[in-house]
Amino acid sequence: GAGVSQTPSNKVTEKGKYVELRCDPISGHTALYWYRQSLGQGPEFLIYFQGTGAADDSGLPNDRFFAVRPEGSVSTLKIQRTERGDSAMYLCASSPGLAGIQETQYFGPGTRLLVL
Amino acid sequence: AQKITQTQPGMFVQEKEAVTLDCTYDTSDQSYGLFWYKQPSSGEMIFLIYQGSYDEQNATEGRYSLNFQKARKSANLVISASQLGDSAMYFCAMREVYNKLIFGAGTRLAVHP
């Protein structure tokens, strides 16, 4: 079946602009996660959705970052007033959401964001 | 605080040889899961193998096995019979009661013919 998809694959924007990054999870997966990966580092957690609600948003760096998942499927990560330091790979993952330590998260191909 | 440490920034291995990628972790929880992911240059994170803290046997998935030493808090990935397509970044990650994954900094593996 189809895996996690993310659009766009690349996004170039100017400092101060607003951007939206989209994630389409695996069909039937109720859990969805956003991570940010800076160059040469491992991914860092941003936010976790269970269904439509954000169950954990402790990783969002500041109030310029916001994410939604209005129908419990597709999610959009929104970044306002972008800064050069926001340049990174943004990764989305999904899992069945049955809970449990062993549940594997399946990642999408990511969106490479470059803020000029 | 939970932490994953991968001390090898880069590793080289000859094709068809085995290689071990190191991972140590720090947690105060008794229940946790350890994952290894592969990230090719395309950027997508590919799940390789999982080990639960209560699993008594080391996990294996094809050419991948996990050398789990709970007392030492290590979860090393062993890749047997390396192939050129194994060249990539490898990340160790941990998951506790809450759902987020904590990742290490990664190890870049280069397989030479």
Side-chain angles (χ1 to χ4, degrees), chain B:
Chain B
Q2 314 91 23
K3 187 177 180 182
I4 294 283
T5 302
Q6 294 181 256
T7 57
Q8 306 155 315
M11 289 285 286
F12 296 89
V13 65
Q14 206 74 24
E15 194 178 8
K16 299 179 186 177
E17 297 290 315
V19 63
T20 298
L21 306 184
D22 294 342
C23 171
T24 59
Y25 59 92
D26 190 17
T27 180
S28 55
D29 274 20
Q30 297 301 309
S31 181
Y32 51 89
L34 297 157
F35 299 79
W36 277 91
Y37 285 85
K38 172 184 178 181
Q39 187 177 43
S41 56
S42 59
E44 185 170 351
M45 301 285 282
I46 302 167
F47 166 72
L48 297 177
I49 195 167
Y50 163 81
Q51 178 85 42
S53 57
Y54 292 117
D55 294 341
E56 295 186 351
Q57 301 225 344
N58 286 341
T60 60
E61 289 285 350
R63 294 187 298 111
Y64 305 108
S65 60
L66 204 152
N67 184 359
F68 181 47
Q69 298 188 40
K70 192 171 181 177
R72 297 181 60 186
K73 293 190 174 178
S74 75
N76 299 339
L77 177 70
V78 180
I79 306 174
S80 63
S82 296
Q83 301 171 357
L84 296 178
D86 293 335
S87 295
M89 284 292 291
Y90 288 81
F91 291 94
C92 180
M94 178 172 63
R95 183 179 187 182
E96 296 182 344
V97 174
Y98 302 103
N99 285 280
K100 63 185 177 186
L101 289 171
I102 307 296
F103 285 86
T107 296
R108 181 172 297 281
L109 177 67
V111 181
H112 292 174

Side-chain angles (χ1 to χ4, degrees), chain A residues 30-108:
Chain A
T30 62
L32 184 147
Y33 314 80
W34 284 98
Y35 293 85
R36 179 168 72 172
Q37 185 178 21
S38 299
L39 201 60
Q41 299 182 19
E44 293 180 317
F45 170 78
L46 294 177
I47 186 169
Y48 153 59
F49 286 91
Q50 181 59 46
T52 60
D56 182 358
D57 65 357
S58 61
L60 294 178
N62 51 60
D63 61 6
R64 296 187 298 106
F65 288 74
F66 189 71
V68 295
R69 195 185 184 199
E71 297 179 358
S73 179
V74 171
S75 176
T76 304
L77 178 65
K78 307 180 180 194
I79 311 175
Q80 299 176 322
R81 305 182 304 279
T82 52
E83 300 178 356
R84 293 193 179 89
D86 298 336
S87 297
M89 171 79 94
Y90 289 81
L91 293 164
C92 177
S94 72
S95 68
L98 301 174
I101 295 288
Q102 74 283 0
E103 190 166 280
T104 297
Q105 296 181 18
Y106 297 93
F107 283 78

Side-chain angles (χ1 to χ4, degrees), chain A residues 13-24:
Chain A
T13 191
E14 294 179 345
K15 180 175 177 292
K17 300 288 188 182
Y18 168 83
V19 297
E20 289 189 353
L21 312 180
R22 175 188 167 110
C23 172
D24 204 338

